Amino acid sequence: MVSGNLFHCRRNSWPAEEYVGRTALQLLDFDGGSPPEQAWRRRLNSHANLLKEFSVTFMEAMRMMSLGLRLWSYVREEASHGRKAPIDPFTKEKCKPSASQGVPLGGMGSGSISRGFRGEFKNWHIIPGLCETSPVMENQKCNDSGISSWDWNLSGQHSTYHALFPRAWTVYDGEPDPDLKISCRQISPFIPHDYKDSSLPTSVFVYTLVNTGKDRAKVSLLMTWANSIGGFSHHSGGHFNEPFITAKDNPPVTFAIAACETQNVNVTVLPVFGLSGEGHDSAKQMWDRMKQNGHFDRENFEAGTSMPSSSGETLCAAVSASTWVEPHGRCTVVFGLAWSSPKIKFQKGCTYNRRYTEFYGTSERSAVNLVHDALTKYRIWEEEIEKWQNPILKNEKLPEWYKFTLFNELYFLVAGGTVWTDGQPPVIDGKPSPGSNQQKSSKRGTRDTKQESVKDNHVKLTAEQVTNGGDLANGEEQSVSKYAAVHGPQMAKATNGLGSQEPIPYLLSKNGPENVGKFLYLEGVEYIMWCTYDVHFYASFALLDLFPKIELSIQRDFANAVLYEDRRRMKFLADGTSGIRKVKGAVPHDLGTHDPWHEMNAYNIHDTSKWKDLNPKFVYRDFAATGDMSFGRDVWPAVCAAMDYMNQFDRDGDGLIENDGFPDQTYDAWTVHGISAYCGGLWLAALQAAATMAHRLGDRPFAEKYKLKFIQAKAVYEAKLWNGSYFNYDSGTSSNSRSIQADQLAGQWYAASSGLPPLFDENKIRSALQKIFEFNVMKVKGGRLGAVNGMTPNGKVDETCMQSREIWTGVTYGVAANMLLHGMEHQGFTTAEGIFIAGWSEEGYGYWFQTPEGWTIDGHYRSLIYMRPLAIWAMQWARSPPKAILDAPKVNLMDRIHLSPQMIRAMNEINVRKIAPDNRCFPSSAFRCEC
């Protein structure tokens, strides 16, 4: 928790008056038309430079040649099945990335559309795992009938964009008409703790008009939309448009555009126009009609459904809203956009219903109802958004850049390929799956494969019902873990020579907390894996703070996954060996790519069952933060299994796990030998967390067991890694073993964020953090890039591998949060400001709303639109811990775990054996909860 005065950054670093005249701001300051003082800003005529992509050095390429060949072969094999490999560095997008992004549209998990700061609609993410980056801009065709004929009269010199996610403002200060001041406000329903409206695929554009002239002005605003989901979809044919008035093999998508008609605003439509004008108006004819009349014919509302488009033809629609604005008068015009893609179909066959269908049904025509509700509810959404954001925005002690970067990094929860389902399992042959206990079967998803006999001998589920041995706090007999296994039909036979694919149980919680559905988000748009757990560890602070029920839902999915194994074979590309897809007791790397929840561990570079950081990152922080005892009881069997699984990596019986001489953690190109600061520290935190959780849940033997391990391991960790000022990278003898790793205190960050006692003496923690600040931060461009992952003791960047020389954005935010937790406010905000300067400022590289995993000191990015930068919310967590942690007893629960002499003797006599985890997670002793 932050103590003392916060670090003060320069005030008013981006004054709005430098972008929009003060007079214009004052005139627009009604009905939300004026952008806030704290916002990210760009002029519309700003140059959107192309971004520089990462490349490996010659020596790195030579070391990775075998991996590259195997990866290339795997990418081609997946392509032969019509699938995109989860990691494909060989296929490049036709539209080169540029510094042109802006706030995306819509809520979470229903498909997203991004909007560049200059207004273009791009990065279409409607189909799960597929992102069409190119904007739909047919005006690139040079013909008179296309939209290149529209005379915008807009240079952008006096127009500016202001972003404060989930809202954005575009202010036209006298453009295109010098007497008009216009503000377009983009609003999407992203509202913390609102699990209904935050799932809706809709956005609203509110135009505030001010007439500064002496004459009455007729203003007509036009919203046009191409019938497309990006890429070349608008050329595929079979599309149709139709007007309305409200009171390939992928599921269809329906768009609705609308405007709000009032006493002062007249709304008309042109249901169909195109570029060529064959059989309907051309784009030029539509524009000429608007210039002449300022509206379309009212009879168009009776036009009915258009003829389907032919192949290569693009259908567009237009909605016009016209109004008269008196001299020095003001007016508001509201447009709405909604899209309906109710079913989510993954490439290996599973189909689910999106979360919003719980409220709007599964008809594609629900887009009409969605856009209607958006036009009537957007003011309520704005009130809730402002109520959430204002305490931070009005806190004068906080740096200005931090305020808007904190909110704007949340773009990823919309644009990061998020999928939010209604939480129900697939239906087999139109019938509810066994054990699904669902009632609304008419709304279930389906699996598009034939029913076959289920061979479940390769899928093992443990702890389905583990009853406790005594009374709980409420005195009732309950089961500790309540999971039902729902088996889907057998998958088609694999063609990769690694054996047949077996079914995985679809697991759902019985009698659990409120069902908020199931949630997925990608590691990144270039790394197509859902809920990558080692990265989620950093990113999940945002979900836990703003949508805690979603975070607990994800954790339940991983808890379910820990307790079964998938014996299908897969090839690991780093060394060419093979193994089983999912090992029982291991936390999976991810929930899958082409069939999430059923086929996990899409990552196949290394065997992640041997990774050392996945299991230690599991669960406790969320249990401590929410104080949800029901959640704790439900996931406790998985916690036991995950902890016991790690004992096999403590090969000398000293309580501390060892790394195995390959990149067996989230830094998957950075080799580790022996004990490592990163994994070893996380293991210490996990030992303390598991012992504390056991104590709170009443499992005393487990608490004693892992407290003893913690005592042993801590002494070994400090003895082998502490060098007097920081913790060495690892205990090996390689050239980088003494490197200064920015993330060396990840375990201490985990402990402090969870309200646990510090792992080390405070002076050691602050010494290590100060060393990171002085070397990894300030010795790299004076702190203007963030924290480089590795630095040598002589002050040079560690060039051991590509990851050691990179600055990772999310890790930098995590390090900054750790500094705040230990009272180092100046160092923390200075460290994080480097990410703002390099990524978000005008003098930086142009990574706004596409923050990459990392960049090099010369500004070459790797993996745009990445999950981990959400870790900036860990800084806010450090400043304002959740109530459950603040209100927790101030005693050290570890001190209340008393080790019996018998326990100490028994533990000293145990030889460490390399065995599968013990699935009997509970002893026969009484199971009591301590609230």
Side-chain angles (χ1 to χ4, degrees):
M1 189 186 311
V2 174
S3 60
N5 294 323
L6 293 176
F7 169 61
H8 287 261
C9 187
R10 61 185 184 275
R11 296 285 305 280
N12 299 320
S13 55
W14 283 18
E17 308 89 71
E18 292 185 8
Y19 291 80
V20 185
R22 184 179 296 274
T23 301
L25 289 173
Q26 292 173 345
L27 290 171
L28 292 169
D29 191 19
F30 80 100
D31 195 31
S34 182
E37 292 182 8
Q38 298 87 5
W40 179 88
R41 312 186 197 281
R42 278 295 175 278
R43 288 185 174 85
L44 262 60
N45 65 344
S46 298
H47 176 64
N49 57 292
L50 294 178
L51 306 182
K52 297 184 292 184
E53 191 173 3
F54 177 89
S55 61
V56 297
T57 66
F58 175 78
M59 292 303 298
E60 289 167 348
M62 294 300 294
R63 287 196 295 266
M64 295 190 295
M65 182 176 294
S66 296
L67 166 62
L69 291 173
R70 284 188 285 266
L71 181 57
W72 180 74
S73 177
Y74 171 68
V75 169
R76 292 188 60 191
E77 179 185 343
E78 287 293 284
S80 70
H81 297 294
R83 298 190 296 263
K84 184 173 176 60
I87 301 175
D88 178 7
F90 309 106
T91 305
K92 303 300 181 183
E93 294 287 346
K94 293 181 180 180
C95 180
K96 293 186 178 297
S98 64
S100 60
Q101 296 288 3
V103 173
L105 306 173
M108 298 189 296
S110 295
S112 69
I113 306 166
S114 290
R115 189 165 180 250
F117 73 86
R118 292 181 296 194
E120 68 273 30
F121 296 95
K122 58 199 300 180
N123 281 31
W124 302 73
H125 224 143
I126 306 295
I127 300 171
L130 179 63
C131 182
E132 294 286 357
T133 58
S134 301
V136 178
M137 295 178 67
E138 294 299 327
N139 59 332
Q140 295 176 20
K141 297 184 178 181
C142 297
N143 57 66
D144 290 338
S145 61
I147 63 175
S148 58
S149 63
W150 298 359
D151 47 343
W152 298 105
N153 298 324
L154 184 69
S155 69
Q157 181 180 359
H158 301 291
S159 301
T160 54
Y161 181 82
H162 310 253
L164 189 65
F165 179 89
R167 297 187 294 171
W169 292 254
T170 305
V171 177
Y172 306 91
D173 189 0
E175 288 190 290
D177 189 309
D179 289 335
L180 285 179
K181 310 293 184 184
I182 304 174
S183 168
C184 172
R185 188 163 84 260
Q186 172 187 315
I187 308 161
S188 293
F190 183 98
I191 304 163
H193 308 287
D194 185 334
Y195 296 88
K196 177 185 176 182
D197 286 1
S198 296
S199 73
L200 304 184
T202 185
S203 284
V204 171
F205 302 91
V206 183
Y207 282 84
T208 303
L209 311 174
V210 179
N211 180 7
T212 63
K214 298 179 180 179
D215 300 319
R216 189 172 183 236
K218 183 177 182 180
V219 180
S220 294
L221 299 174
L222 183 68
M223 181 175 187
T224 61
W225 197 260
N227 200 330
S228 171
I229 58 171
F232 295 98
S233 63
H234 47 298
H235 291 158
S236 60
H239 304 171
F240 59 87
N241 293 0
E242 62 179 293
F244 64 87
I245 300 178
T246 66
K248 313 180 191 226
D249 189 29
N250 290 300
V253 181
T254 302
F255 291 96
I257 57 173
C260 190
E261 188 167 69
T262 68
Q263 183 177 358
N264 300 319
V265 178
N266 179 52
V267 176
T268 56
V269 300
L270 183 63
V272 183
F273 72 91
L275 300 178
S276 63
E278 297 177 5
H280 43 69
D281 282 357
S282 69
K284 184 178 187 302
Q285 290 170 326
M286 183 275 294
W287 185 256
D288 290 342
R289 186 178 304 175
M290 278 297 299
K291 286 177 62 177
Q292 181 178 352
N293 303 324
H295 58 82
F296 301 116
D297 296 333
R298 292 289 296 187
E299 290 77 12
N300 287 345
F301 281 115
E302 309 298 328
T305 304
S306 73
M307 294 293 292
S309 64
S310 58
S311 179
E313 180 185 22
T314 302
L315 290 187
C316 304
V319 173
S320 167
S322 57
T323 184
W324 287 95
V325 186
E326 300 297 327
H328 307 291
R330 302 173 179 182
C331 186
T332 298
V333 178
V334 187
F335 288 89
L337 166 68
W339 55 96
S340 179
S341 177
K343 295 188 181 298
I344 306 160
K345 182 175 181 180
F346 293 101
Q347 286 189 298
K348 286 192 175 179
C350 270
T351 303
Y352 301 88
N353 293 332
R354 294 192 191 266
R355 166 73 172 168
Y356 79 88
T357 64
E358 286 286 301
F359 319 110
Y360 286 85
T362 57
S363 169
E364 291 82 17
R365 293 185 59 83
S366 61
V368 174
N369 296 327
L370 282 160
V371 78
H372 172 272
D373 290 354
L375 291 173
T376 57
K377 294 180 65 176
Y378 76 89
R379 293 181 187 275
I380 298 174
W381 294 343
E382 279 202 293
E383 289 177 4
E384 293 300 316
I385 291 168
E386 290 174 355
K387 187 185 304 181
W388 158 48
Q389 292 184 339
N390 280 344
I392 295 173
L393 297 177
K394 294 181 178 179
N395 188 336
E396 295 186 356
K397 295 182 178 180
L398 291 174
E400 194 172 46
W401 64 264
Y402 170 79
K403 297 176 185 180
F404 55 77
T405 308
L406 178 73
F407 292 115
N408 285 332
E409 288 285 17
L410 290 171
Y411 85 93
F412 189 85
L413 289 177
V414 171
T418 52
V419 168
W420 194 355
T421 79
D422 61 2
Q424 307 304 334
V427 164
I428 303 172
D429 286 351
K431 299 178 181 180
S433 303
S436 66
N437 79 341
Q438 305 302 330
Q439 297 176 356
K440 296 183 286 185
S441 60
S442 62
K443 296 179 66 177
R444 296 299 144 253
T446 58
R447 179 186 287 275
D448 297 336
T449 54
K450 295 181 180 179
Q451 175 69 34
E452 301 181 22
S453 61
V454 176
K455 299 178 181 179
D456 57 2
N457 57 305
H458 290 290
V459 181
K460 302 186 183 299
L461 175 68
T462 65
E464 181 176 342
Q465 287 283 320
V466 183
T467 57
N468 72 61
D471 295 334
L472 298 178
N474 59 9
E476 298 179 0
E477 185 74 17
Q478 298 185 16
S479 63
V480 174
S481 178
K482 302 179 179 179
Y483 300 125
V486 181
H487 293 270
Q490 186 172 346
M491 297 296 214
K493 184 175 180 65
T495 58
N496 58 8
L498 297 179
S500 62
Q501 298 178 357
E502 300 292 345
I504 301 297
Y506 185 93
L507 297 165
L508 61 151
S509 178
K510 292 181 182 176
N511 304 322
E514 175 188 348
N515 176 22
V516 296
K518 285 180 175 288
F519 191 86
L520 300 169
Y521 63 147
L522 292 175
E523 179 177 340
V525 296
E526 297 177 38
Y527 298 156
I528 310 172
M529 296 167 283
W530 303 108
C531 295
T532 300
Y533 200 76
D534 55 311
V535 185
H536 174 72
F537 171 73
Y538 298 79
S540 55
F541 281 92
L543 283 174
L544 186 55
D545 198 0
L546 306 176
F547 296 94
K549 292 178 182 178
I550 289 179
E551 170 62 11
L552 294 190
S553 173
I554 294 173
Q555 291 287 40
R556 288 175 185 273
D557 286 338
F558 277 94
N560 293 338
V562 167
L563 297 174
Y564 71 80
E565 63 184 11
D566 178 356
R567 299 190 64 81
R568 287 175 288 184
R569 306 291 292 180
M570 65 186 300
K571 186 176 182 179
F572 305 119
L573 303 181
D575 56 10
T577 62
S578 63
I580 68 173
R581 178 173 288 275
K582 168 65 181 67
V583 176
K584 184 170 60 178
V587 172
H589 172 273
D590 56 80
L591 292 179
T593 291
H594 300 309
D595 197 4
W597 301 298
H598 294 89
E599 184 182 87
M600 289 176 281
N601 282 336
Y603 178 91
N604 61 352
I605 305 297
H606 300 287
D607 182 356
T608 58
S609 69
K610 298 177 182 178
W611 276 22
K612 310 307 185 297
D613 66 329
L614 292 169
N615 284 35
K617 292 173 176 176
F618 186 51
V619 166
Y620 180 77
R621 182 204 61 192
D622 298 352
F623 171 66
T626 61
D628 190 328
M629 300 301 289
S630 173
F631 168 76
R633 291 190 295 269
D634 282 351
V635 302
W636 182 239
V639 175
C640 295
M643 293 299 295
D644 288 344
Y645 179 86
M646 294 300 291
N647 288 332
Q648 63 182 299
F649 302 119
D650 176 14
R651 296 180 173 85
D652 55 7
D654 61 0
L656 195 60
I657 60 172
E658 291 88 33
N659 293 84
D660 284 327
F662 74 99
D664 50 356
Q665 25 79 43
T666 194
Y667 299 89
D668 58 350
W670 199 355
T671 298
V672 196
H673 301 275
I675 298 168
S676 71
Y678 182 73
C679 296
L682 286 168
W683 177 239
L684 289 182
L687 290 171
Q688 184 171 235
T692 303
M693 190 172 181
H695 177 76
R696 292 187 63 184
L697 292 174
D699 189 350
R700 293 184 181 87
F702 192 95
E704 291 182 18
K705 172 183 175 181
Y706 279 92
K707 177 179 179 178
L708 181 60
K709 280 182 176 291
F710 172 74
I711 294 170
Q712 294 174 314
K714 177 182 176 181
V716 174
Y717 183 93
E718 295 193 68
K720 293 193 175 183
L721 295 179
W722 180 250
N723 62 22
S725 60
Y726 65 94
F727 294 97
N728 290 335
Y729 175 70
D730 63 28
S731 62
T733 57
S734 63
S735 59
N736 71 319
S737 289
R738 285 183 56 84
S739 285
I740 307 162
Q741 184 181 14
D743 219 0
Q744 63 183 268
L745 286 176
Q748 172 54 35
W749 175 42
Y750 175 16
S753 299
S754 305
L756 293 169
L759 301 178
F760 317 108
D761 293 339
E762 186 66 22
N763 62 332
K764 289 184 178 179
I765 297 170
R766 290 177 63 93
S767 173
L769 289 172
Q770 185 64 29
K771 190 76 172 184
I772 293 166
F773 179 71
E774 293 174 356
F775 278 66
N776 301 61
V777 178
M778 298 308 295
K779 287 185 180 294
V780 180
K781 298 290 181 69
R784 300 176 67 81
L785 290 181
V788 70
N789 283 336
M791 286 287 284
T792 62
N794 63 6
K796 303 294 183 181
V797 173
D798 186 337
E799 300 281 353
T800 301
C801 68
M802 66 179 191
Q803 290 178 342
S804 63
R805 61 186 173 92
E806 288 178 328
I807 291 114
W808 280 11
T809 52
V811 168
T812 298
Y813 284 142
V815 171
N818 210 357
M819 291 171 174
L820 295 185
L821 286 164
H822 294 281
M824 301 172 67
E825 292 84 9
H826 169 75
Q827 295 90 329
F829 281 109
T830 301
T831 295
E833 189 177 16
I835 303 301
F836 162 75
I837 293 171
W840 288 85
S841 72
E842 285 191 278
E843 60 191 273
Y845 300 127
Y847 298 137
W848 46 82
F849 300 103
Q850 53 187 335
T851 316
E853 176 177 19
W855 50 68
T856 57
I857 58 175
D858 56 354
H860 287 74
Y861 76 87
R862 186 163 63 81
S863 186
L864 290 173
I865 311 180
Y866 194 76
M867 178 196 291
R868 200 171 346 226
L870 285 170
I872 191 173
W873 278 85
M875 297 179 67
Q876 191 62 18
W877 184 278
R879 292 190 59 257
S880 303
K883 187 175 186 297
I885 289 179
L886 288 175
D887 293 348
K890 302 307 178 187
V891 298
N892 185 342
L893 290 181
M894 290 289 283
D895 292 339
R896 299 175 64 178
I897 303 172
H898 301 291
L899 298 177
S900 64
Q902 296 86 352
M903 186 64 177
I904 295 175
R905 286 196 300 270
M907 290 300 297
N908 288 335
E909 294 171 359
I910 291 177
N911 293 320
V912 177
R913 294 173 293 169
K914 299 177 184 178
I915 57 174
D918 184 1
N919 297 313
R920 297 168 298 167
C921 297
F922 284 94
S924 59
S925 59
F927 181 84
R928 291 187 176 276
C929 293
E930 178 180 311
C931 298

